[in-house]
């Protein structure tokens, strides 16, 4: 069990570092290719920051642990909304100016409802997972359209400054795309092995480990990026990162895992405990950030509410792990 714990820590460290290098390399490569700023931010960076969840869940499914993959996806959304946005808004209230982000909020709500509908019968069939993947590619298409027709959006200026800060020569950018991806895969293998071993040692399901340890670890890139963006005053990037990542998780992460290994029996607690938490936080985010009479805004009180919801939910899961270990 000690070796498994070391594997998880080492896997997280390499995963977070390699994901950061991969995203910076991919964004710089896209910029050298002449891709529009908004397109880089919405598609390339959005895809890259969700790469840890995608790779970890794919490997978990290949290794016969679809519960870990599902827990990673749902747990990451809970972490993104409750911990990351809650903590960011508690530090600095977040205001939504971007029209693109406002359009993404109801879309995220619809995708969350669809994901719950597919699990309602207690299973995730391959055709349902493929449908989610199809939705992911449709989302990419919509993102490309929005980016190409979103000239002058508030988020464009913020993204341009970020891309300028992380500019690099094309050769080095390509090196980090390849190296970052290889390290992502290697560290994910190590992380999944450690997580499954810990789950078996404690006598808990891999779903619980996915919802807690793995979800928190794979969300670290979003945590760092969102807090840094909020402190710089780039509020639309901060919220956009989380909204985009949550959509990618529900469509691509669950879709990839379910396509590789369908889930004939989804644990009942997913529908009674985990999905309600995901949809509850998503509705709260929509109400807080949409801005029905002007700009949306997540104030400190609302941020505190999101954070407390996350802490209460995670505390309950930790209690479950503790009881199983005793």
């Amino acid at each position: 069990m000690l070796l498994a714990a070391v594997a998880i820590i080492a896997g997280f460290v390499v995963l977070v570092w390699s994901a950061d290098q991969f995203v910076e390399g991919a964004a710089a490569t896209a910029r050298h290719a002449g891709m529009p700023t908004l397109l880089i931010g919405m598609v390339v960076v959005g895809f890259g920051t969700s790469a840890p969840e995608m790779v970890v869940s794919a490997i978990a499914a290949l290794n016969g642990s679809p519960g870990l993959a599902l827990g990673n996806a749902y747990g990451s959304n809970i972490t993104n909304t409750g911990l990351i946005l809650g903590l960011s808004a508690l530090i600095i209230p977040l205001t939504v100016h971007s029209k693109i982000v406002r359009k993404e909020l109801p879309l995220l709500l619809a995708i969350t409802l669809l994901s719950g509908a597919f699990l309602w019968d207690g299973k995730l069939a391959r055709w349902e997972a493929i449908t989610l993947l199809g939705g992911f590619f449709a989302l990419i298409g919509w993102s490309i359209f929005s980016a190409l027709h979103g000239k002058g959006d508030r988020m464009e200026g913020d993204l341009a400054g970020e891309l300028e800060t992380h500019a690099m020569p094309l050769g080095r950018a390509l090196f980090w795309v390849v190296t970052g991806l290889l390290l992502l895969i290697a560290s994910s293998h190590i992380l999944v092995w450690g997580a499954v071993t810990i789950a078996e040692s404690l006598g808990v399901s891999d779903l619980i480990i996915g919802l807690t340890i793995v979800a928190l670890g794979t969300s670290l890139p979003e945590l760092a990026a969102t807090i840094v963006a909020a402190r710089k005053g780039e509020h639309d990037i901060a919220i956009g990162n989380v909204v985009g990542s949550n959509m990618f998780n529900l469509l691509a992460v669950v879709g990839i895992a379910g396509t590789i290994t369908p889930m004939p029996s989804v644990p009942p607690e997913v529908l009674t405990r985990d999905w309600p938490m995901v949809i509850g936080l998503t509705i709260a985010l929509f109400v807080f950030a949409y801005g029905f009479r002007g700009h949306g805004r997540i104030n400190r009180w609302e941020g505190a509410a999101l954070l407390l919801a996350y802490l209460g939910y995670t505390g309950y899961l930790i209690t479950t792990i503790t009881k199983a270990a005793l």
Side-chain angles (χ1 to χ4, degrees):
M1 189 162 158
L2 178 61
L3 182 59
V6 172
I8 288 177
I9 294 170
F12 277 149
V13 171
V14 178
L15 185 78
V16 172
W17 182 79
S18 60
D20 187 54
Q21 300 306 311
F22 174 74
V23 170
E24 289 194 13
T29 301
R31 196 174 187 210
H32 280 290
M35 192 177 287
T37 299
L38 266 177
L39 191 56
I40 295 173
M42 292 181 65
V43 179
V44 178
V45 176
F47 184 89
T49 53
S50 291
E53 287 91 343
M54 292 182 192
V55 178
V56 167
S57 291
I59 290 172
L62 284 169
N63 290 349
S65 300
L68 179 62
L70 188 62
N72 182 25
Y74 278 16
S76 291
N77 277 27
I78 292 167
T79 302
N80 286 346
T81 309
L83 174 63
I84 296 176
L85 275 187
L87 185 60
S88 298
L90 197 58
I91 297 170
I92 301 169
L94 302 172
T95 303
V96 180
H97 297 95
S98 171
K99 293 179 180 178
I100 292 175
V101 173
R102 289 187 67 199
K103 289 177 182 177
E104 287 180 337
L105 286 166
L107 187 58
L108 171 60
L109 186 58
I111 290 170
T112 307
L113 290 169
L114 176 65
S115 71
F118 280 166
L119 296 179
W120 203 253
D121 58 357
K123 62 184 180 181
L124 181 67
R126 181 171 275 122
W127 74 265
E128 292 171 324
I130 292 173
T131 301
L132 290 175
L133 269 182
F136 169 69
F137 290 116
L139 175 64
I140 293 292
W142 179 83
S143 297
I144 292 172
F145 177 83
S146 297
L148 293 177
H149 294 80
K151 293 292 184 182
D153 191 88
R154 174 67 177 265
M155 193 163 56
E156 185 176 25
D158 293 341
L159 285 167
E162 286 298 306
L163 291 174
E164 187 64 38
T165 302
H166 299 286
M168 64 178 73
L170 179 59
R172 189 168 61 167
L174 290 171
F175 170 80
W176 282 120
V177 169
V178 176
T179 304
L181 183 59
L182 291 175
L183 288 174
L184 264 173
I185 295 171
S187 59
S188 295
H189 270 290
I190 296 170
L191 174 59
V192 168
W193 175 82
V196 171
T197 303
I198 290 286
E200 291 174 348
S201 300
L202 294 175
V204 298
S205 67
D206 53 5
L207 172 69
I208 292 286
I209 299 299
L211 286 164
T212 52
I213 300 171
V214 179
L216 178 60
T218 55
S219 294
L220 288 177
E222 283 95 344
L223 175 61
T226 302
I227 290 179
V228 168
R231 294 191 65 179
K232 287 182 178 179
E234 298 165 347
H235 296 180
D236 292 303
I237 291 181
I239 297 176
N241 279 343
V242 167
V243 173
S245 177
N246 285 3
M247 290 192 290
F248 279 27
N249 287 341
L250 293 172
L251 294 174
V253 176
V254 178
I256 290 170
T259 300
I260 294 171
T261 306
M263 305 174 198
S265 179
V266 173
E269 56 266 30
V270 172
L271 285 172
T272 59
R273 179 194 64 201
D274 307 320
W275 185 80
M277 188 66 184
V278 174
I279 190 65
L281 287 173
T282 303
I283 291 172
L285 173 60
F286 175 75
V287 172
F288 295 162
Y290 185 75
F292 295 92
R293 296 184 178 179
H295 297 309
R297 179 179 171 84
I298 305 177
N299 60 39
R300 284 193 172 91
W301 286 107
E302 292 164 342
L306 293 174
L307 184 58
L308 285 173
Y310 169 79
L311 292 174
Y313 170 81
T314 304
Y316 175 78
L317 293 182
I318 291 173
T319 301
T320 302
I321 295 173
T322 304
K323 286 181 179 178
L326 293 176

